[in-house]
Structures are given as C-alpha cells and as structure tokens.
Amino acid sequence: PFEDLKYFRGFIEELVEKGELEEYLEMGASIDLERVVFTGNLSHEILPTVMSTSDMLVVPSIFPESFGMIALEGMFLGNTPIAFDHSGLSEAVPRQENKVVFDERLVFNLRDTLLKNCEGNISKESKNYFRGYAENFSYEKICKKLIEV
C-alpha cells in the first residue's frame, strides 16, 4: 500500500543512515514559507493567473508524460521550470540544470535542483529566456510547421 512513497521512504532512510535527518528538518523549519505556495489542483480558468505571479514551477510527475505541456505553459508565463528528467518533460525543458535526475535518489535530486535554482532571485533574463523558448511551441507555430511539411 505504500509503493507510491518508495522515493520518500528511501530519502528519509538515507538521511537517517547518514545522521543528517535532524539537520535536514532544521533546515526545512528555517525556510521562509511565505515564498512557497502549495496549490494542489487548480482549475484551468485560474491557472494562468496563478502561474503568471510565480517565479518557479515544479512539475514533480513520476508518470511518463507524452509531452511536457504544463512545463511549457509555465515557461510561457515566465516561470523557471523544474521537472523530472524523463519522457516528454525532458524534451520540454531546455536546460539540464532545471531537470531532476529520475533515479532511486529522486527526492535528493529534487531537493538539490530546487536549492540550486533558489540560491538567488530569478532574473528577468531567465524569465524572458524561458518565455521565448516556450513560444516556439505555440499552437500557431506548430500549425505552420505542420503545414510546411
């Protein structure tokens, strides 16, 4: 019944084995949660408004995605994407430093990628880069490419 938690359990077990659990919990307690919002499921009507006020979009999907549309939508709205490096998500996210290695250390990899991307403020240049990249996948451009073929 806890198969879905295998990555989390492995993460906690490794912290305990290394004697790092308490340090990790203290670090977590020191995070400024005013800057973090866990939204859960959002309706399509409100999604663009919420995403346009964000700096970063985390797509922690362990399900094989045919294409990373949510990551592209986030980039189009100026978000820095953080996504697992597998299936369609890997193809949608252009920079390797924004991809989370998908292996047995998944939770550690996600933590490390988030920390690396949170060290400073997300620059306007970064937002513009991701927005420009996502524009290559607009419906209009995809249709034009299809017609050319």
Side-chain angles (χ1 to χ4, degrees), residues 6 21 41 43 46 88 90 93 99 120 124 126-127 129 148:
K6 69 179 180 182
L21 181 61
N41 191 18
S43 70
I46 195 168
S90 184
V93 177
K99 297 178 186 179
K124 186 174 183 176
S126 179
K127 285 179 165 282
Y129 168 80
E148 290 172 4

Side-chain angles (χ1 to χ4, degrees), residues 35 37 50-51 53-59 74 78-82 98 113-122 127:
R35 298 185 63 202
V37 178
V50 172
M51 290 172 73
T53 64
S54 303
D55 291 323
M56 188 179 296
L57 175 69
V58 181
V59 186
N79 286 259
T80 295
I82 304 295
N98 295 88
T113 303
L114 284 169
L115 288 173
K116 181 172 48 177
N117 279 275
C118 289
E119 287 176 349
N121 289 328
I122 308 287
K127 285 179 165 282

Side-chain angles (χ1 to χ4, degrees), residues 97-111:
E97 62 266 22
N98 295 88
K99 297 178 186 179
V100 179
V101 177
F102 191 76
D103 62 15
E104 67 280 349
R105 299 196 78 245
L106 184 65
V107 179
F108 283 100
N109 300 337
L110 176 59
R111 175 201 65 185

Side-chain angles (χ1 to χ4, degrees), residues 112-149:
D112 295 344
T113 303
L114 284 169
L115 288 173
K116 181 172 48 177
N117 279 275
C118 289
E119 287 176 349
N121 289 328
I122 308 287
S123 69
K124 186 174 183 176
E125 293 80 21
S126 179
K127 285 179 165 282
N128 289 337
Y129 168 80
F130 287 115
R131 186 175 290 119
Y133 178 83
E135 286 174 357
N136 292 317
F137 296 92
S138 70
Y139 291 118
E140 183 179 321
K141 286 192 178 184
I142 296 294
C143 289
K144 283 182 181 180
K145 289 178 185 177
L146 270 169
I147 291 169
E148 290 172 4
V149 173

Side-chain angles (χ1 to χ4, degrees), residues 2-63:
F2 296 106
E3 179 62 24
D4 292 343
L5 298 175
K6 69 179 180 182
Y7 298 112
F8 180 71
R9 278 197 337 254
F11 174 69
I12 296 298
E13 288 168 3
E14 188 170 331
L15 285 174
V16 170
E17 287 172 14
K18 292 181 173 182
E20 298 175 357
L21 181 61
E22 190 161 327
E23 177 186 349
Y24 183 78
L25 293 174
E26 288 173 8
M27 181 182 73
S30 71
I31 293 174
D32 179 9
L33 291 178
E34 294 292 321
R35 298 185 63 202
V36 178
V37 178
F38 296 97
T39 63
N41 191 18
L42 296 172
S43 70
H44 289 286
E45 293 79 26
I46 195 168
L47 195 58
T49 302
V50 172
M51 290 172 73
S52 65
T53 64
S54 303
D55 291 323
M56 188 179 296
L57 175 69
V58 181
V59 186
S61 178
I62 60 173
F63 184 79

Side-chain angles (χ1 to χ4, degrees), residues 68 83-96 99 133:
F84 290 161
D85 192 8
H86 70 82
S87 64
L89 286 170
S90 184
E91 295 175 29
V93 177
R95 292 185 177 165
Q96 193 61 40
K99 297 178 186 179
Y133 178 83

